[in-house]
Amino acid sequence: MGFQSQVFFFFFSLFVFLFSSLLQVAKTEQVEAYNVSSFRERKQVSSCNFFQGTWVYDASYPLYDSSSCPFIDPQFDCQKYGRPDKLYLKYRWQPNKCNLPRFNGLDFLVRWRGKKIMFVGDSLSLNQWESLTCLIYASVPKSKTTVVRTKSLSSVTFEDYGVEVILYHTPYIVDLVRDEKGLVLKLDSINGKAWKGMDMLIFNSWHWWTHRGRNQPWNYIQDGNQLYKDMNPLIAFYKGMTTWARWVNRNIDPSKTKVFLQGISPTHYEGREWNNPWKDCRSETQPVFGSRYPSGLPVASYVVNKVLSRMKKPVYLLDVTALSQLRKDGHPSAYSGKHKGIDCSHWCLPGLPDTWNQLLYAALVL
């Protein structure tokens, strides 16, 4: 068998295994019935699909300067840490059949006066949280703010409006606990007490589910009464997100809390698969033009859609995966403060997460 045939057979076999495993999980999990039309309605709030479009040059961008925002961590401040090009800052997302409203931080504060907004997830949630606080701050730079930064919980409060924007750091959303066996990732357990009472929740997870070796924080995965040394990451992610869906169904009152789920944020490390370390994001200065990424959507996106389609409570999917795939130029790459290695996972600020928040803003005002 030739090399190309071997590669094809390997990936075909992997696809069959993953697909079969997901089907088996679906059969064994008790999940709520769903209505397809209601899922579509919660995904987009107008006749226009905000998530289908192209990137266009816009000289009025970016929406703020990183040097004027006090909330950006070094790992996202690409201009401060020597990125020589600036063209990546000048692109705006243009849906095919409508226009996105320009983000208005003052309007956002007035609409959400006295409210609490919480991002729940991993460092991509950190990326989006810092973006939103910078976007708001750019509109009210003289507004009094109170900042709290801890390992698990951070917040920026815009005191003149009583708006608190919070970050709750939890890479898996489900519980990671220490017991006599070590660190255990519990796929069917969530302690979401801190999330209750929020007026808006924006959840995100996926990247840490793929971490192995030295980057894997857990010693065991627990599913029910069973302990595992390892599990297929897609299966584990499906089980964990199904637990999250149950938590939302049981604990959220849609009349009091709006719930969003951020779609999978893509990485651009393609070169690692072919032993070519230079084929990654570090030399990219422009978006991939067009409306589709050549390799297609990551499989985890289908897991997200599957989980959402079975939920009773309304959750708005910020379907940012496809549009973010086109922004290979938007990563910090080598310009990421003291971050080790080449970062093709997170995003520069200003940059792509500002568009995620612009889409969030559009979902709230249109």
Side-chain angles (χ1 to χ4, degrees):
M1 184 183 294
F3 175 74
Q4 290 182 334
S5 298
Q6 293 179 33
V7 171
F8 172 80
F9 180 76
F10 170 77
F11 282 106
F12 179 76
S13 300
L14 180 62
F15 172 79
V16 171
F17 169 74
L18 294 178
F19 185 72
S20 300
S21 299
L22 282 173
L23 286 179
Q24 184 61 36
V25 168
K27 291 178 181 178
T28 57
E29 290 285 338
Q30 291 183 344
V31 290
E32 307 291 352
Y34 70 98
N35 180 283
V36 173
S37 61
S38 65
F39 170 58
R40 289 172 180 166
E41 288 168 4
R42 71 179 72 132
K43 183 177 178 181
Q44 58 187 69
V45 294
S46 75
S47 58
C48 176
N49 188 331
F50 299 138
F51 309 106
Q52 293 181 357
T54 56
W55 290 98
V56 298
Y57 179 85
D58 189 328
S60 71
Y61 273 54
L63 298 176
Y64 58 90
D65 190 305
S66 63
S67 64
S68 65
C69 181
F71 314 123
I72 299 179
D73 283 330
Q75 69 184 106
F76 307 138
D77 196 347
C78 303
Q79 287 297 306
K80 180 178 180 180
Y81 288 92
R83 181 162 176 168
D85 60 306
K86 294 186 178 181
L87 186 60
Y88 74 95
L89 297 168
K90 297 292 184 179
Y91 287 97
R92 171 175 55 82
W93 179 247
Q94 177 60 58
N96 289 333
K97 297 181 179 180
C98 61
N99 294 315
L100 285 174
R102 194 176 180 90
F103 189 92
N104 185 322
L106 178 58
D107 177 66
F108 187 96
L109 289 172
V110 171
R111 289 174 181 269
W112 290 88
R113 186 186 297 272
K115 305 296 186 181
K116 292 184 177 182
I117 299 162
M118 179 180 278
F119 290 87
V120 180
D122 57 23
S123 53
L124 276 306
S125 289
L126 170 66
N127 224 173
Q128 189 176 1
W129 174 75
E130 292 187 7
S131 163
L132 181 61
T133 55
C134 287
L135 285 166
I136 296 172
Y137 187 78
S139 293
V140 289
K142 296 182 179 180
S143 178
K144 181 182 178 181
T145 59
T146 300
V147 181
V148 176
R149 299 296 297 265
T150 69
K151 184 177 181 180
S152 59
L153 193 69
S154 301
S155 67
V156 175
T157 303
F158 294 87
E159 298 289 357
D160 297 336
Y161 303 88
V163 175
E164 188 174 3
V165 187
I166 308 163
L167 173 70
Y168 187 98
H169 181 73
T170 173
Y172 297 99
I173 297 183
V174 294
D175 294 336
L176 181 64
V177 300
R178 182 179 294 278
D179 62 17
E180 67 279 2
K181 297 179 288 296
L183 280 170
V184 181
L185 181 62
K186 297 193 172 185
L187 299 182
D188 57 357
S189 173
I190 284 181
N191 179 12
K193 291 177 64 176
W195 314 342
K196 295 181 179 180
M198 296 296 120
D199 299 286
M200 187 193 312
L201 288 164
I202 306 101
F203 291 94
N204 157 70
S205 188
W206 168 239
H207 282 219
W208 277 86
W209 293 90
T210 65
H211 287 195
R212 292 295 183 268
R214 290 180 297 177
N215 292 324
Q216 173 186 296
W218 46 264
N219 303 110
Y220 294 94
I221 290 180
Q222 183 172 339
D223 183 22
N225 295 321
Q226 296 294 317
L227 278 180
Y228 301 91
K229 284 292 290 182
D230 200 3
M231 184 182 291
N232 180 286
L234 282 172
I235 303 302
F237 180 55
Y238 176 85
K239 287 176 175 286
M241 292 305 293
T242 299
T243 299
W244 163 80
R246 291 197 187 107
W247 185 91
V248 171
N249 284 337
R250 292 170 181 170
N251 293 280
I252 294 299
D253 180 349
S255 68
K256 297 179 180 179
T257 305
K258 291 184 180 295
V259 181
F260 292 82
L261 179 63
Q262 184 202 92
I264 302 300
S265 176
T267 61
H268 291 96
Y269 291 111
E270 294 96 328
R272 293 183 180 181
E273 299 174 8
W274 306 104
N275 297 317
N276 179 5
W278 290 100
K279 189 181 178 184
D280 54 30
C281 68
R282 77 185 74 181
S283 60
E284 302 292 340
T285 58
Q286 296 184 34
V288 176
F289 293 106
S291 59
R292 291 186 179 181
Y293 196 65
S295 64
L297 294 173
V299 179
S301 293
Y302 300 99
V303 175
V304 166
N305 283 327
K306 187 178 184 67
V307 170
L308 285 177
S309 70
R310 297 170 180 268
M311 295 184 68
K312 281 186 173 181
K313 298 292 177 68
V315 174
Y316 187 101
L317 174 63
L318 284 173
D319 197 2
V320 301
T321 306
L323 64 90
S324 301
Q325 281 184 310
L326 302 175
R327 293 306 308 271
K328 291 179 70 171
D329 60 320
H331 296 289
S333 181
Y335 309 104
S336 187
K338 296 181 180 180
H339 184 275
K340 295 181 180 179
I342 300 300
D343 187 351
C344 297
S345 175
H346 301 99
W347 306 92
C348 296
L349 292 178
L352 178 67
D354 303 328
T355 297
W356 298 349
N357 285 315
Q358 191 175 5
L359 290 161
L360 174 68
Y361 180 66
L364 295 170
V365 305
L366 295 182

